[in-house]
Amino acid sequence: MYSCNYACPDCGFSFPELTPRMFSFNNPFGACPTCTGIGYLMKMDEDLIVPDKNKTLYDGIKAFGASTMKKGDTMAKMYFESVGKHYGIDIKDKKIKDLPRWFMEKILYGTGDEEIDFEYESFAGIRKFKAPFEGVLPTLDRRHNETKSQGMRDFYEMYMSNSPCYSCHGARLKPEILSIKIGDKNINELTDMSIDKIKNFLNNLELDKTQAMISELILKEIDQRLQFLMDVGLEYLTLSRNAGTLSGGEAQRIRLATQIGSGLTGVLYILDEPSIGLHQRDNDKLLATLKKLRDLGNTLLVVEHDEDTMYAADQIIDIGPGAGRYGGQVMAQRNSRRSKKGRKFYNRTIFKWKKKNTSARKEKKTCKVKSHRSSRSNRK
C-alpha cells in the first residue's frame, strides 16, 4: 500500500516531500537534530576530569571544587561523603584507584533515580534533603550548556573531548534521510567509499527503463566530476574526508579538478608543488590535467622540484642558487623542450655567481681586518 501524503496510516509517521536540501548536513532540514550536523558532541572526558587516580576524591576530581574541598566543608565534599555513606564506602584517605569501579560510576555519572540522603552543615545551620545525585560529568556538562560567560565556557571546554553523536553515529544526517537508499546504500555509506569505488558502484547500478531515463543526466554529471578527481590521482580519497586532514598537494589537486569542471579561461593559476603526496605512477595524470588547463587558454605558474613536471613545462626558470637570502636570483631560463643535455648555460651562470660571491666575501673580510688593525693603532 502506497500513500501520496508521505505518511504511514498505522503509526502516523509523516515525511515531507524529498528535496536536495534534505541530504545536506549544513541545512537544518537534513542535519541531525542532536549534533546539528557536526557528527560529534563535546562531552566531559573522564580521563581529563580524573587525570591522577593516585589522589583521593577530595583533590583528584578536576573542575568540581578539588582546589577548595580540603580547605573546608563544601557542597561537593558533602555530595561525595553522602554517596559514600549511602553505599557503605569509606572515601576518606582512600585513593581513587582503590575505590570500586561501580562506585566511581555513581560518582561520575550519577545515581539515576535512586535517591540519596544529603546533609549539609554551615554557619546558617544544618540542611537536610533527599534527591538523586546528578553525577560529576552530567553536572559539568549542564553548567557548560547553561553558562553565559565565555570565560567559564572556555574553562569547562578544557576538560571536554569530541565523541561521536549517539543519534547519527557520525553520519550527521537525520535517521529518516539515512533510510533512503540507492541500491543498498544510503548517502553516508556512499561518501565513506573511495572515489574509484563510488564510480564503479554507480556505473553498475541496476535500474529499470524509467529510472534510467530520470537519472541519466544526473549520473553523467556525477561520473564526470568523479573522473576529474581520478585524473589528478585522488581516486583513493573518500568524499567524507575531513578537509583538515588533506595534505597541501591533495588540496591543490582537488581545486584543480574543480577548475577543470568549471571550464574557465584566461586565468592565472599559481601552484606550489602539487605533486606532494602523489605516487610517481600518478604523476602523468597530474601533468595531463595541468596541460588540459593550459589548453583551455589559462596560464600556469608551478613551483616544483619534480623533474618530469619541469620538463613538461613550456618554459623553465631556475631561481637560486641557495635558499632564503642566498637565493632569489634568476640562474637560468630556457625552453624546457630543448635537450636535457644542454646544461652549459646553467653551469656557466652558477660559476659566475660563485665567483662573484667569493670575491665579495673576500673583500668584506679584508675590510674587517683593516678596521681591526686601525683600531689597535689608535689605542697606542
Side-chain angles (χ1 to χ4, degrees), residues 73 120-126:
D73 292 331
Y120 180 64
E121 184 176 355
S122 65
F123 66 91
I126 298 176

Side-chain angles (χ1 to χ4, degrees), residues 222-273:
I222 294 174
D223 187 76
Q224 286 180 349
R225 291 173 182 253
L226 293 175
Q227 188 60 49
F228 290 151
L229 291 169
M230 293 178 69
D231 288 342
V232 293
L234 295 174
E235 65 276 358
Y236 59 89
L237 289 181
T238 61
L239 295 182
S240 59
R241 176 85 171 264
N242 194 321
T245 64
L246 297 171
S247 69
E250 288 172 338
Q252 286 192 91
R253 294 200 295 279
I254 289 175
R255 288 194 288 270
L256 273 178
T258 305
Q259 293 303 318
I260 293 173
S262 66
L264 294 175
T265 60
V267 179
L268 171 63
Y269 295 99
I270 301 177
L271 307 173
D272 184 13
E273 298 190 78

Side-chain angles (χ1 to χ4, degrees), residues 173-369:
L173 293 170
K174 292 180 178 179
E176 51 266 35
I177 303 301
L178 295 174
S179 65
I180 302 170
K181 297 185 177 182
I182 297 177
D184 59 345
K185 298 185 183 298
N186 59 38
I187 187 172
N188 180 64
E189 292 169 335
L190 272 176
T191 56
D192 282 340
M193 297 167 63
S194 60
I195 289 171
D196 55 346
K197 290 182 179 179
I198 295 176
K199 194 172 186 297
N200 292 333
F201 175 81
L202 295 178
N203 289 338
N204 295 322
L205 272 179
E206 295 181 1
L207 304 172
D208 59 34
K209 188 175 180 180
T210 304
Q211 292 172 337
M213 183 179 65
I214 295 172
S215 62
E216 180 182 3
L217 294 178
I218 299 172
L219 290 176
K220 183 180 177 182
E221 179 69 19
I222 294 174
D223 187 76
Q224 286 180 349
R225 291 173 182 253
L226 293 175
Q227 188 60 49
F228 290 151
L229 291 169
M230 293 178 69
D231 288 342
V232 293
L234 295 174
E235 65 276 358
Y236 59 89
L237 289 181
T238 61
L239 295 182
S240 59
R241 176 85 171 264
N242 194 321
T245 64
L246 297 171
S247 69
E250 288 172 338
Q252 286 192 91
R253 294 200 295 279
I254 289 175
R255 288 194 288 270
L256 273 178
T258 305
Q259 293 303 318
I260 293 173
S262 66
L264 294 175
T265 60
V267 179
L268 171 63
Y269 295 99
I270 301 177
L271 307 173
D272 184 13
E273 298 190 78
S275 64
I276 290 179
L278 187 65
H279 195 279
Q280 192 62 34
R281 69 170 181 267
D282 295 324
N283 215 25
D284 292 337
K285 294 181 180 179
L286 175 63
L287 295 178
T289 303
L290 297 178
K291 289 177 181 177
K292 191 181 293 185
L293 273 176
R294 178 202 62 190
D295 295 340
L296 286 173
N298 301 301
T299 303
L300 284 86
L301 179 62
V302 183
V303 181
E304 188 58 87
H305 299 285
D306 180 69
E307 187 176 6
D308 293 336
T309 306
M310 289 190 283
Y311 282 110
D314 298 314
Q315 286 286 327
I316 182 169
I317 303 171
D318 189 11
I319 299 177
R325 62 191 183 94
Y326 300 110
Q329 301 185 42
V330 177
M331 307 305 300
Q333 179 181 0
R334 67 180 179 87
N335 188 333
S336 63
R337 301 180 189 277
R338 287 171 50 189
S339 171
K340 296 183 181 181
K341 296 180 181 179
R343 298 182 178 178
K344 291 183 178 179
F345 171 71
Y346 176 78
N347 292 335
R348 188 162 60 247
T349 309
I350 290 286
F351 177 74
K352 284 183 179 180
W353 183 88
K354 284 184 176 179
K355 187 176 180 182
K356 179 182 176 183
N357 194 44
T358 304
S359 60
R361 286 180 180 177
K362 286 182 178 179
E363 185 178 348
K364 189 175 181 181
K365 189 174 182 180
T366 306
C367 292
K368 283 185 177 180
V369 171

